[in-house]
Every structure is written in structure tokens, then in C-alpha cells.
Amino acid sequence: MSDAKLPILIADDQRDVLEALRLLLKSENQPCHAVGDPAAALAAVKKNLFAAALIDLNYTRDTTSGAEGLELLKALKRADPDLPVVAMTAWGSIHLAVEAMRLGAGDFIEKPWDNTRLVSVLRNQIALGAATRREQRLRAENRLLREDDNDEFIAGSRSMQPVLSLIDRVAPTDANVLILGENGTGKGVVARLIHKRSQRAERALVKVNMGGIADSVFEAEMFGHVRGAFTDAKTDRIGRFEAADGGTLFLDEIANIAFPQQGKLLRIVEDGEFERVGSSRTLKVDVRLIAATNADLGAEVAAGRFRKDLLFRLNTVEIHLPPLRERREDIVPLAQAFLARSALRYQRIGMHLSPSAQRALEDYAWPGNVRELAHVMERAVLTAAGAQIAQLEFSLPLGSPASTPSAHTTLDEAEQDMIRSALDRCSGNIQKTAEMLGLSRAALYRRLEKFGIRAVD
Ligand SMILES: Nc1ncnc2c1ncn2[C@@H]1O[C@H](COP(=O)(O)OP(=O)(O)OP(=O)(O)O)[C@@H](O)[C@H]1O
Ligand SMILES: [Mg+2]
């Protein structure tokens, strides 16, 4: 119990009972707030957040029926549905305990109580309450995220049909899924889509960017830690796996996990079992894993940088997202969706693409895939003079056909072209050009130098 910072509410009309409970909880390092009647208990819960409530069912007005206590229980649950409530009943009044549980009590204690049992009941209820609250928060966050990216998945092209049908088939199962594809092909969107169409849709989708976790905190982040496990561990903390319990864990950029950390993941991925850092107690979670990467994991395995056994656990089903240049029929519908989104955001009504602009988009190689297209469309909305977006609005390296042999050349060329045409349009003004390209002045200068572009400011 010692890790809980929130106090426990204790309600009983007998002073000696309150005093005994207070001493017991104090010895467990658990703060508490004691009240002597139902009205005070309800007022306290309406005002403050408690880790749990321990309430007697019998109060002075009527010392045996438990009616007052049950009323209080109902009122507490109405005031804070997530508050774990433990009911205390007189010895032998099991029917009251049953009634209390039916009304939402998490557990009950018979008086006179056994200290060890009381402490363990409270400890469990506190943990459950904390987990419920956390889950509620995550669910709310997820709802926000979902609303935020109310992403319609656009995939009408022929090469996306096998992808769509695979998503349909695999989403409702609990199979682990590995999503592969170049940068910006929509791996994140597909991960959300799978979760949304799964049986776990109402539970959390927890995302972890595996490239963003320092080696030193890897285990604590993923598995949680107990208080005192290391200097900064002031309290117990649950890890990402526990946060995703019952839901989905999205391991993004999976190829970026350092080799030693991969071994640590293997066990939990195999049987859901793990220990929090600093604890020897084995915990178990029920988590569906979705992983994504733009790396060639087969090559990583061959090079000894990625564990084969881990790969085989993650890739029960593999979804390959084709690059945008291999689904040309989707380019214009996607562009139009992004156009509508940006037009709405920037309040530019009636924006549309000229036929030549559509052709230009279809002819471009899109090394940055769907994300690049989204950015290009946003920029076009911002810079177009009228409602029609013409070809010249894109600053695309025209004439870089889809089949350019080297992606490297394409990217460099694309960049040079964008910079030149942006400079043109800003009449050489460096500040404006940098803003238009979303670069800092310094970053723009570095590129001008790299490409040997002369700008007259
Ligand atoms: N099929 C699609 N329909 C609609 N929007 C899409 C589609 N695919 C991708 N997008 C949009 O394109 C952008 C990039 O997608 P996302 O972030 O999922 O790509 P990614 O493959 O995860 O990229 P990275 O490898 O860089 O992490 C997002 O804004 C996403 O909403
Ligand atoms: Mg991504």
C-alpha cells in the first residue's frame, strides 16, 4: 500500500474502530481521512480524490439493517464510479456483504477484521482503482486521437486491394501483425485501423516509438518499475505493456531496438510474462502486438542486428504497404482528400486541382510517399493565388519519372527543384523562401551551399 499517494477514506460511527484503522494504515504508510457518518463520507468524496473507501454499513440511526451503509455505497458510486469501495459488515451478516457487492463494492471485510486480510484487500482495491483510472484516461486520450486523425483510409487502387482484404481478415483476430513499408506509406494509419476494427477497439491502443527510448530506461518504460528500483523511482509505475493490457501495443520503428533489448522483449512477447524493474513478482498481460518498420528486417536478421526469434513472434502476419508510386490511381483521390482537409483548416473555400496539376502529381515519383503528398497539398493550399491549384503550385521536380533508377538522385533533385522554384516565387527573398519550405534560414543556406544554388536576396 505504501506507494499510493492518495488517502483512503474510512467511514465508521465508532471512534475506536476509526482509531484502530488509522493506526493500522499508518503502520502501512498509508494516509487516510476518517469520518464518522455517511453525510461526511459523501461530502469528502465529492470534494477529494481517494485511493479507496472503507465504509461501515451500520450507522447510529439503525445499527443492524445496513440500509444506511448501502445508501452511502450507492451515493459514493454515483459520485465517483471508479472509486473502489470496501464494505465492513458485522460478523455473520453475509447477505449484507453480498448486497454491497451487488451495488458495486469491490470487496468486503467482516468485523472483527483480520489485519493482514484487511491490508491485502485494500491493497488490491487500490491497485484496481488506479488501473481503472489510468485506463479511463487512456481511453479518453485514444478517443481524442481518433477524432483528431479521423483518417479516412484511401486505398482504391488495385495494388492496395490485397492489403485491404488482409487487414479485414486479420484485424478481428489476436494475431500479431508486422507492417512494412517505406517512409510515409501509412503504417501508422494501418496500425490504428487494425486496432479500430479489432475486438479490442474499446480498449487502449498504446504506441511506443522504439527509436525514441534510451537504452538505460528501456526496461522501466516497457515493463514498469517498483518504488526504489533506482534513484528516481519514487513510486511504482506501470510500463507500456501493462498500460496496453487488454488492448493493443503498437511498437513503431521496431528495427531500432538495440540488440540486447530485443532479448528482453522476447519473453513477454512469447508468453505475456514479465517483472517490473526491481520486483521479482511475475506479472502477466494480454496484449496484441502490432509492429512497424521501414527497414528490411530480413536483412537486419542476416546482418545479425535483429533477433530472428523475435521477428518470428512479431510477424505472424505481414502487411506490405506498397510505395505511392506503385498505386498511382490513389494519388489524385488522396490529393483531393488532403486538399479538402487543408482548405478547411486554412478556410480557403472551393479549392480544386487543375487537370494538368493532377497529371503532374501522378507523374511524380513521391519518394516521401503519402506524407510527402499531404505536405505538398498543404503548401499548395497556402500558396495558390486563386481557387484553382495549377501545376506550378507544386514545386515538384517535373520530369522526374516514377521509374528514376536511384532514389538518392531523385530526392536530391527533388529538393533542388523545390528550392529553386520556391526562390523564384519569393523573388529570391531568403526569409520568405525558408518559411515557404518550412526550413530555418540556416538550414536553407546549408542547402543552397550544398547544391551550389546562388540566391540574390
Ligand atoms: N491510405 C491513406 N489514406 C489517407 N491518408 C493516409 C493514407 N496513408 C497515409 N496517410 C496519411 O499520410 C501521413 C503519413 O502516414 P503514416 O504516418 O501512417 O506513415 P508511416 O508509414 O507510419 O510513416 P513513417 O515511416 O515515417 O513512420 C499521415 O498523415 C496519414 O494520415
Ligand atoms: Mg509511422
Side-chain angles (χ1 to χ4, degrees):
M1 260 190 291
S2 52
D3 56 302
K5 275 170 285 167
L6 292 173
I8 291 184
L9 176 72
I10 47 179
D12 200 304
D13 57 344
Q14 286 173 276
R15 282 179 151 249
D16 52 335
V17 169
L18 286 182
E19 197 46 38
L21 288 172
R22 205 205 310 262
L23 284 175
L24 173 62
L25 294 177
K26 193 174 173 200
S27 73
E28 293 289 325
N29 253 330
Q30 168 64 51
C32 69
H33 177 72
V35 296
D37 61 80
L42 185 58
V45 164
K46 284 186 173 163
K47 202 158 154 246
N48 298 305
L49 199 58
F50 291 97
L54 176 61
I55 62 166
D56 189 24
L57 289 184
N58 295 310
Y59 293 87
T60 40
R61 255 199 287 149
D62 157 9
T63 50
T64 50
S65 78
E68 266 186 283
L70 294 176
E71 277 309 312
L72 172 60
L73 170 61
K74 277 194 264 181
L76 291 181
K77 283 306 229 187
R78 265 198 306 274
D80 179 359
D82 296 334
L83 175 72
V85 180
V86 176
M88 283 186 290
T89 61
W91 181 257
S93 49
I94 202 75
H95 63 285
L96 264 186
V98 170
E99 184 60 12
M101 300 283 279
R102 202 181 61 79
L103 291 175
D107 210 334
F108 68 94
I109 293 285
E110 280 181 310
K111 282 177 174 174
W113 64 83
D114 169 57
N115 279 350
T116 321
R117 173 165 148 80
L118 181 85
V119 167
S120 104
V121 162
L122 283 175
R123 190 179 285 152
N124 282 338
Q125 290 300 314
I126 291 173
L128 279 173
T132 315
R133 283 187 176 123
R134 196 187 157 85
E135 201 180 285
Q136 297 259 340
R137 215 173 36 237
L138 280 171
R139 217 180 291 172
E141 277 171 19
N142 267 311
R143 223 176 290 129
L144 280 181
L145 277 180
R146 272 185 230 143
E147 281 162 12
D148 186 39
D149 59 41
N150 47 19
D151 31 34
E152 186 197 355
F153 190 62
I154 295 169
S157 62
R158 204 134 70 102
S159 47
M160 284 300 279
Q161 295 321 297
V163 173
L164 285 181
S165 76
L166 190 52
I167 292 174
D168 276 347
R169 268 175 293 142
V170 78
T173 73
D174 267 347
N176 289 346
V177 181
L178 176 64
I179 307 169
L180 301 164
E182 291 179 8
N183 280 322
T185 44
K187 298 183 293 295
V189 191
V190 169
R192 288 196 294 272
L193 199 62
I194 292 175
H195 175 74
K196 222 185 287 183
R197 295 197 191 163
S198 76
Q199 322 253 14
R200 298 165 179 255
E202 284 307 308
R203 311 297 292 268
L205 168 64
V206 176
K207 180 183 155 172
V208 199
N209 184 342
M210 304 310 289
I213 300 183
D215 284 0
S216 56
V217 297
F218 180 85
E219 279 174 282
E221 268 301 314
M222 302 306 286
F223 308 135
H225 60 72
V226 293
R227 182 181 177 200
F230 43 88
T231 327
D232 290 335
K234 301 270 187 275
T235 60
D236 286 13
R237 182 158 174 265
I238 72 167
R240 308 289 181 112
F241 274 93
E242 266 180 277
D245 196 12
T248 307
L249 184 61
F250 176 30
L251 304 173
D252 205 0
E253 301 190 27
I254 188 81
N256 290 343
I257 314 182
F259 197 80
Q261 319 290 14
Q262 294 170 19
K264 294 172 188 157
L265 269 190
L266 192 60
R267 172 161 163 248
I268 188 164
V269 169
E270 277 178 341
D271 52 22
E273 288 187 354
F274 66 104
E275 287 90 31
R276 288 184 182 175
V277 175
S279 160
S280 58
R281 193 155 59 101
T282 299
L283 302 172
K284 199 170 165 74
V285 284
D286 163 33
V287 165
R288 194 240 189 118
L289 292 172
I290 302 180
T293 180
N294 53 23
D296 178 350
L297 279 183
E300 292 297 298
V301 168
R305 285 190 295 262
F306 201 87
R307 288 182 69 131
K308 199 179 189 171
D309 41 12
L310 182 59
L311 175 61
F312 286 169
R313 289 289 168 176
L314 296 173
N315 74 350
T316 314
V317 177
E318 278 188 15
I319 296 182
H320 294 258
L321 284 179
L324 189 54
R325 62 186 170 278
E326 286 171 20
R327 34 176 156 143
R328 302 211 156 265
E329 308 100 285
D330 287 339
I331 292 176
V332 169
L334 278 166
Q336 276 159 345
F338 295 136
L339 180 66
R341 192 191 294 174
S342 295
L344 191 68
R345 174 182 309 163
Y346 300 113
Q347 317 239 309
R348 300 206 49 180
I349 302 155
M351 297 292 285
H352 59 274
L353 291 164
S354 76
S356 71
Q358 300 191 10
R359 267 196 308 280
L361 293 176
E362 284 174 330
D363 286 345
Y364 178 53
W366 300 111
N369 294 297
V370 186
R371 179 177 295 111
E372 185 184 7
L373 177 57
H375 287 163
V376 164
M377 292 316 298
E378 180 173 14
R379 214 168 286 160
V381 167
L382 284 171
T383 55
Q388 167 151 298
I389 293 181
Q391 183 176 338
L392 79 160
E393 241 83 44
F394 296 131
S395 335
L396 294 178
L398 302 171
S400 74
S403 51
T404 310
S406 146
H408 183 74
T409 333
T410 308
L411 255 177
D412 267 6
E413 281 176 7
E415 220 181 318
Q416 283 193 52
D417 256 62
M418 274 181 109
I419 293 173
R420 280 182 208 282
S421 90
L423 269 171
D424 254 13
R425 278 205 267 150
C426 300
S427 319
N429 181 312
I430 294 292
Q431 185 60 39
K432 278 197 194 143
T433 308
E435 277 166 20
M436 178 183 243
L437 294 169
L439 295 171
S440 68
R441 278 175 74 102
L444 178 57
Y445 273 122
R446 270 199 302 281
R447 284 172 174 74
L448 294 178
E449 199 170 51
K450 171 176 161 198
F451 298 128
I453 301 176
R454 284 223 323 265
V456 252
D457 205 348

PDB file of all heavy atoms in Angstrom, residues 338-339 342 345-346 373-383:
ATOM      1  N   PHE A 338      -6.529  15.483 -49.039  1.00  0.00           N
ATOM      2  CA  PHE A 338      -5.634  16.397 -48.310  1.00  0.00           C
ATOM      3  C   PHE A 338      -5.967  17.847 -48.631  1.00  0.00           C
ATOM      4  O   PHE A 338      -5.884  18.729 -47.772  1.00  0.00           O
ATOM      5  CB  PHE A 338      -4.167  16.101 -48.636  1.00  0.00           C
ATOM      6  CG  PHE A 338      -3.718  14.742 -48.168  1.00  0.00           C
ATOM      7  CD1 PHE A 338      -2.938  13.924 -48.982  1.00  0.00           C
ATOM      8  CD2 PHE A 338      -4.080  14.277 -46.907  1.00  0.00           C
ATOM      9  CE1 PHE A 338      -2.536  12.669 -48.545  1.00  0.00           C
ATOM     10  CE2 PHE A 338      -3.677  13.019 -46.463  1.00  0.00           C
ATOM     11  CZ  PHE A 338      -2.898  12.211 -47.294  1.00  0.00           C
ATOM     12  N   LEU A 339      -6.324  18.080 -49.887  1.00  0.00           N
ATOM     13  CA  LEU A 339      -6.701  19.430 -50.309  1.00  0.00           C
ATOM     14  C   LEU A 339      -7.912  19.901 -49.502  1.00  0.00           C
ATOM     15  O   LEU A 339      -7.914  21.006 -48.953  1.00  0.00           O
ATOM     16  CB  LEU A 339      -7.042  19.396 -51.803  1.00  0.00           C
ATOM     17  CG  LEU A 339      -7.472  20.706 -52.452  1.00  0.00           C
ATOM     18  CD1 LEU A 339      -6.303  21.678 -52.442  1.00  0.00           C
ATOM     19  CD2 LEU A 339      -7.919  20.460 -53.897  1.00  0.00           C
ATOM     20  N   SER A 342      -6.862  20.600 -45.860  1.00  0.00           N
ATOM     21  CA  SER A 342      -6.108  21.849 -45.682  1.00  0.00           C
ATOM     22  C   SER A 342      -6.971  23.066 -45.988  1.00  0.00           C
ATOM     23  O   SER A 342      -6.852  24.094 -45.329  1.00  0.00           O
ATOM     24  CB  SER A 342      -4.874  21.865 -46.586  1.00  0.00           C
ATOM     25  OG  SER A 342      -3.988  20.852 -46.190  1.00  0.00           O
ATOM     26  N   ARG A 345      -8.881  23.736 -42.999  1.00  0.00           N
ATOM     27  CA  ARG A 345      -8.057  24.278 -41.928  1.00  0.00           C
ATOM     28  C   ARG A 345      -7.719  25.743 -42.165  1.00  0.00           C
ATOM     29  O   ARG A 345      -7.717  26.553 -41.264  1.00  0.00           O
ATOM     30  CB  ARG A 345      -6.778  23.455 -41.770  1.00  0.00           C
ATOM     31  CG  ARG A 345      -5.861  24.106 -40.748  1.00  0.00           C
ATOM     32  CD  ARG A 345      -4.541  23.396 -40.537  1.00  0.00           C
ATOM     33  NE  ARG A 345      -4.670  21.976 -40.268  1.00  0.00           N
ATOM     34  CZ  ARG A 345      -3.646  21.128 -40.376  1.00  0.00           C
ATOM     35  NH1 ARG A 345      -2.462  21.580 -40.723  1.00  0.00           N
ATOM     36  NH2 ARG A 345      -3.811  19.862 -40.130  1.00  0.00           N
ATOM     37  N   TYR A 346      -7.408  26.083 -43.412  1.00  0.00           N
ATOM     38  CA  TYR A 346      -6.983  27.456 -43.696  1.00  0.00           C
ATOM     39  C   TYR A 346      -8.126  28.297 -44.261  1.00  0.00           C
ATOM     40  O   TYR A 346      -7.908  29.382 -44.774  1.00  0.00           O
ATOM     41  CB  TYR A 346      -5.780  27.463 -44.646  1.00  0.00           C
ATOM     42  CG  TYR A 346      -4.607  26.736 -44.059  1.00  0.00           C
ATOM     43  CD1 TYR A 346      -4.149  25.546 -44.611  1.00  0.00           C
ATOM     44  CD2 TYR A 346      -3.954  27.228 -42.919  1.00  0.00           C
ATOM     45  CE1 TYR A 346      -3.081  24.860 -44.059  1.00  0.00           C
ATOM     46  CE2 TYR A 346      -2.888  26.546 -42.360  1.00  0.00           C
ATOM     47  CZ  TYR A 346      -2.460  25.364 -42.937  1.00  0.00           C
ATOM     48  OH  TYR A 346      -1.401  24.690 -42.375  1.00  0.00           O
ATOM     49  N   LEU A 373       2.959  13.790 -50.115  1.00  0.00           N
ATOM     50  CA  LEU A 373       1.803  14.296 -50.851  1.00  0.00           C
ATOM     51  C   LEU A 373       0.951  15.202 -49.954  1.00  0.00           C
ATOM     52  O   LEU A 373       0.499  16.278 -50.380  1.00  0.00           O
ATOM     53  CB  LEU A 373       0.968  13.117 -51.377  1.00  0.00           C
ATOM     54  CG  LEU A 373      -0.341  13.451 -52.111  1.00  0.00           C
ATOM     55  CD1 LEU A 373      -0.089  14.382 -53.301  1.00  0.00           C
ATOM     56  CD2 LEU A 373      -1.031  12.176 -52.593  1.00  0.00           C
ATOM     57  N   ALA A 374       0.776  14.784 -48.717  1.00  0.00           N
ATOM     58  CA  ALA A 374      -0.023  15.602 -47.785  1.00  0.00           C
ATOM     59  C   ALA A 374       0.634  16.971 -47.599  1.00  0.00           C
ATOM     60  O   ALA A 374      -0.035  18.003 -47.601  1.00  0.00           O
ATOM     61  CB  ALA A 374      -0.162  14.887 -46.442  1.00  0.00           C
ATOM     62  N   HIS A 375       1.964  16.977 -47.457  1.00  0.00           N
ATOM     63  CA  HIS A 375       2.665  18.256 -47.276  1.00  0.00           C
ATOM     64  C   HIS A 375       2.578  19.130 -48.517  1.00  0.00           C
ATOM     65  O   HIS A 375       2.368  20.342 -48.427  1.00  0.00           O
ATOM     66  CB  HIS A 375       4.134  18.004 -46.917  1.00  0.00           C
ATOM     67  CG  HIS A 375       4.288  17.512 -45.509  1.00  0.00           C
ATOM     68  ND1 HIS A 375       5.443  16.900 -45.063  1.00  0.00           N
ATOM     69  CD2 HIS A 375       3.441  17.535 -44.473  1.00  0.00           C
ATOM     70  CE1 HIS A 375       5.275  16.570 -43.789  1.00  0.00           C
ATOM     71  NE2 HIS A 375       4.070  16.950 -43.411  1.00  0.00           N
ATOM     72  N   VAL A 376       2.753  18.501 -49.671  1.00  0.00           N
ATOM     73  CA  VAL A 376       2.688  19.262 -50.921  1.00  0.00           C
ATOM     74  C   VAL A 376       1.317  19.917 -51.063  1.00  0.00           C
ATOM     75  O   VAL A 376       1.198  21.089 -51.434  1.00  0.00           O
ATOM     76  CB  VAL A 376       2.999  18.344 -52.129  1.00  0.00           C
ATOM     77  CG1 VAL A 376       2.569  18.996 -53.437  1.00  0.00           C
ATOM     78  CG2 VAL A 376       4.487  18.012 -52.164  1.00  0.00           C
ATOM     79  N   MET A 377       0.278  19.184 -50.717  1.00  0.00           N
ATOM     80  CA  MET A 377      -1.060  19.737 -50.867  1.00  0.00           C
ATOM     81  C   MET A 377      -1.307  20.867 -49.865  1.00  0.00           C
ATOM     82  O   MET A 377      -1.935  21.868 -50.192  1.00  0.00           O
ATOM     83  CB  MET A 377      -2.126  18.647 -50.695  1.00  0.00           C
ATOM     84  CG  MET A 377      -2.160  17.605 -51.801  1.00  0.00           C
ATOM     85  SD  MET A 377      -2.043  18.254 -53.473  1.00  0.00           S
ATOM     86  CE  MET A 377      -3.516  19.251 -53.532  1.00  0.00           C
ATOM     87  N   GLU A 378      -0.782  20.697 -48.674  1.00  0.00           N
ATOM     88  CA  GLU A 378      -0.971  21.753 -47.683  1.00  0.00           C
ATOM     89  C   GLU A 378      -0.294  23.040 -48.163  1.00  0.00           C
ATOM     90  O   GLU A 378      -0.859  24.128 -48.103  1.00  0.00           O
ATOM     91  CB  GLU A 378      -0.403  21.316 -46.334  1.00  0.00           C
ATOM     92  CG  GLU A 378      -0.575  22.398 -45.268  1.00  0.00           C
ATOM     93  CD  GLU A 378      -0.179  21.931 -43.877  1.00  0.00           C
ATOM     94  OE1 GLU A 378       0.465  20.870 -43.770  1.00  0.00           O
ATOM     95  OE2 GLU A 378      -0.503  22.655 -42.920  1.00  0.00           O
ATOM     96  N   ARG A 379       0.918  22.864 -48.652  1.00  0.00           N
ATOM     97  CA  ARG A 379       1.660  24.032 -49.137  1.00  0.00           C
ATOM     98  C   ARG A 379       0.948  24.683 -50.314  1.00  0.00           C
ATOM     99  O   ARG A 379       0.883  25.898 -50.428  1.00  0.00           O
ATOM    100  CB  ARG A 379       3.062  23.567 -49.552  1.00  0.00           C
ATOM    101  CG  ARG A 379       4.111  24.595 -49.281  1.00  0.00           C
ATOM    102  CD  ARG A 379       5.475  23.986 -49.441  1.00  0.00           C
ATOM    103  NE  ARG A 379       5.828  23.116 -48.338  1.00  0.00           N
ATOM    104  CZ  ARG A 379       6.769  22.176 -48.397  1.00  0.00           C
ATOM    105  NH1 ARG A 379       7.420  21.957 -49.527  1.00  0.00           N
ATOM    106  NH2 ARG A 379       7.060  21.465 -47.349  1.00  0.00           N
ATOM    107  N   ALA A 380       0.407  23.843 -51.200  1.00  0.00           N
ATOM    108  CA  ALA A 380      -0.273  24.381 -52.379  1.00  0.00           C
ATOM    109  C   ALA A 380      -1.478  25.217 -51.963  1.00  0.00           C
ATOM    110  O   ALA A 380      -1.721  26.292 -52.512  1.00  0.00           O
ATOM    111  CB  ALA A 380      -0.709  23.236 -53.302  1.00  0.00           C
ATOM    112  N   VAL A 381      -2.220  24.740 -50.968  1.00  0.00           N
ATOM    113  CA  VAL A 381      -3.381  25.491 -50.494  1.00  0.00           C
ATOM    114  C   VAL A 381      -2.932  26.850 -49.963  1.00  0.00           C
ATOM    115  O   VAL A 381      -3.564  27.878 -50.193  1.00  0.00           O
ATOM    116  CB  VAL A 381      -4.144  24.705 -49.406  1.00  0.00           C
ATOM    117  CG1 VAL A 381      -5.152  25.591 -48.689  1.00  0.00           C
ATOM    118  CG2 VAL A 381      -4.835  23.500 -50.023  1.00  0.00           C
ATOM    119  N   LEU A 382      -1.809  26.838 -49.277  1.00  0.00           N
ATOM    120  CA  LEU A 382      -1.328  28.084 -48.684  1.00  0.00           C
ATOM    121  C   LEU A 382      -0.808  29.068 -49.716  1.00  0.00           C
ATOM    122  O   LEU A 382      -0.891  30.275 -49.537  1.00  0.00           O
ATOM    123  CB  LEU A 382      -0.206  27.785 -47.679  1.00  0.00           C
ATOM    124  CG  LEU A 382      -0.687  27.218 -46.353  1.00  0.00           C
ATOM    125  CD1 LEU A 382       0.495  26.742 -45.520  1.00  0.00           C
ATOM    126  CD2 LEU A 382      -1.485  28.262 -45.587  1.00  0.00           C
ATOM    127  N   THR A 383      -0.247  28.547 -50.818  1.00  0.00           N
ATOM    128  CA  THR A 383       0.426  29.454 -51.740  1.00  0.00           C
ATOM    129  C   THR A 383      -0.373  29.772 -53.001  1.00  0.00           C
ATOM    130  O   THR A 383      -0.058  30.737 -53.688  1.00  0.00           O
ATOM    131  CB  THR A 383       1.801  28.891 -52.167  1.00  0.00           C
ATOM    132  OG1 THR A 383       1.582  27.586 -52.699  1.00  0.00           O
ATOM    133  CG2 THR A 383       2.746  28.813 -50.991  1.00  0.00           C
TER     134      THR A 383
END
